[in-house]
Amino acid sequence: MASAVSERESLWPAPAKLNLFLHVTGRRPDGYHELQTLFQLIDLCDTVAIEVRADGRIERRAGPAGVAADEDLTVRAARALKTAAGARLGASIRLIKRIPVGGGLGGGSSDAATALLALNRLWGCGLSREALAGLGLPLGADVPVFVRGFSAWAEGVGERLTPVELPERWYVLIRPGVSVPTRDVFQSPELTRNSPLITIRAFFETGGRNDCEPVVRARWPEVAEALDWLGGQLPGDSRLAPARLTGTGSCIFAPLASAAEAERIAASVPDRWRSFVARGLNVSPLRALLSM
């Protein structure tokens, strides 16, 4: 249970994302995969609580269970920024988690991006978003999209970003009771790695798929069951897109035209799964907060 907010803490949002499609288009000599994807930010958010310290220390007061402080991406992001900017101040960091861990929603990457942006402001570092995105990329391929703060078309390993204005959608999300390790999916021999490149226009005309979904379906039957269940709940006369896996995680989603439709489906999700309803965002709430 989260502790009370300290008067010295500032609170910063860290939104989740969905991959509306994910094509694996190749594999680089360094082992990383070349991708095409469309990141949709959503209003399901973690909160990163930060208290600036004068002694220069960086500590984590609270975070996700099972993740050691030294492995926490917010701590690693803070240390990377401190080194790059030569900052003398430190920070106590507390994570209030709402985004499921290991669900493919980018929670850890978003938390790291929020730490970079917030501490850049609080410490007076003055680094550009481009510089912060560069610091964040070694922490995770999804960090740059959260640093820039727009829903975006992404290529490369996910770092080449083009902001995209997406139509307003509501999403129902389901997390089956499993976590899917990204490494296991990308190391799978049956993963498709040669999808042809497509254009943004082609995606909006014909849609795409998630190349990781067949691997996850085969190896995690709980995810396959949830995908089949959600697909059967979507209104056939107004289907916007099929139920789909997001990223390489275990969470699945489907877009709906209204909050009421999404809430109706979420309310009927079997008790063994966890459901969420989220609104799509074109701009991260963190951008608005930083502009104040």
Side-chain angles (χ1 to χ4, degrees):
M1 187 173 181
S3 58
V5 176
S6 162
E7 292 182 0
R8 296 186 297 273
E9 283 183 322
S10 55
L11 304 181
W12 305 86
K17 59 80 179 172
L18 298 172
N19 295 88
L20 299 189
F21 83 105
L22 177 58
H23 292 176
V24 182
T25 59
R27 192 170 192 174
R28 307 190 321 188
D30 61 9
Y32 283 94
H33 288 79
E34 293 277 345
L35 310 171
Q36 280 191 312
T37 190
L38 182 55
F39 289 115
Q40 165 76 79
L41 301 181
I42 56 175
D43 66 358
L44 174 64
C45 295
D46 288 344
T47 299
V48 182
I50 298 175
E51 180 180 336
V52 174
R53 302 173 61 107
D55 62 8
R57 289 179 55 202
I58 295 171
E59 67 168 9
R60 189 190 71 176
R61 289 180 174 167
V67 179
D70 286 346
E71 297 174 0
D72 192 310
L73 291 184
T74 55
V75 173
R76 293 172 58 193
R79 289 173 176 166
L81 177 61
K82 184 175 174 67
T83 299
R88 295 186 177 183
L89 295 171
S92 294
I93 300 170
R94 186 167 60 90
L95 288 181
I96 303 167
K97 290 294 295 178
R98 300 181 186 89
I99 303 170
V101 176
L105 298 173
S109 293
S110 186
D111 295 341
T114 292
L116 287 171
L117 288 160
L119 288 170
N120 187 55
R121 166 71 63 85
L122 294 169
W123 288 345
C125 298
L127 271 64
S128 67
R129 282 186 185 266
E130 193 67 27
L132 293 173
L135 281 177
L137 183 60
L139 301 174
D142 293 345
V143 175
V145 73
F146 293 114
V147 168
R148 292 190 172 96
F150 296 104
S151 287
W153 180 271
E155 296 180 300
V157 296
E159 86 287 6
R160 298 203 306 268
L161 299 165
T162 303
V164 174
E165 190 82 11
L166 295 168
E168 182 169 314
R169 293 281 186 265
W170 287 85
Y171 296 89
V172 59
L173 288 72
I174 296 175
R175 186 183 191 278
V178 294
S179 292
V180 175
T182 297
R183 181 184 298 271
D184 290 1
V185 176
F186 278 122
Q187 289 183 345
S188 170
E190 63 266 32
L191 176 66
T192 297
R193 294 182 173 86
N194 59 352
S195 286
L197 294 172
I198 65 170
T199 64
I200 297 175
R201 179 177 179 180
F203 168 76
F204 282 114
E205 288 177 350
T206 64
R209 64 190 175 277
N210 186 332
D211 284 339
C212 300
E213 189 172 305
V215 176
V216 176
R217 270 187 172 273
R219 297 192 176 197
W220 286 271
E222 300 93 332
V223 179
E225 183 185 1
L227 280 163
D228 292 340
W229 181 90
L230 181 54
Q233 307 303 308
L234 300 179
D237 58 347
S238 60
R239 188 169 298 180
L240 300 173
R244 182 163 292 164
L245 184 77
T246 179
T248 60
S250 62
C251 285
I252 66 168
F253 71 95
L256 281 306
S258 69
E261 275 191 302
E263 293 283 1
R264 176 186 61 79
I265 294 175
S268 64
V269 167
D271 292 341
R272 64 186 180 278
W273 301 331
R274 189 177 176 193
S275 65
F276 306 84
V277 170
R279 181 172 60 91
L281 304 172
N282 282 312
V283 181
S284 167
L286 186 58
R287 284 194 75 97
L289 188 60
L290 288 168
S291 68
M292 295 173 63

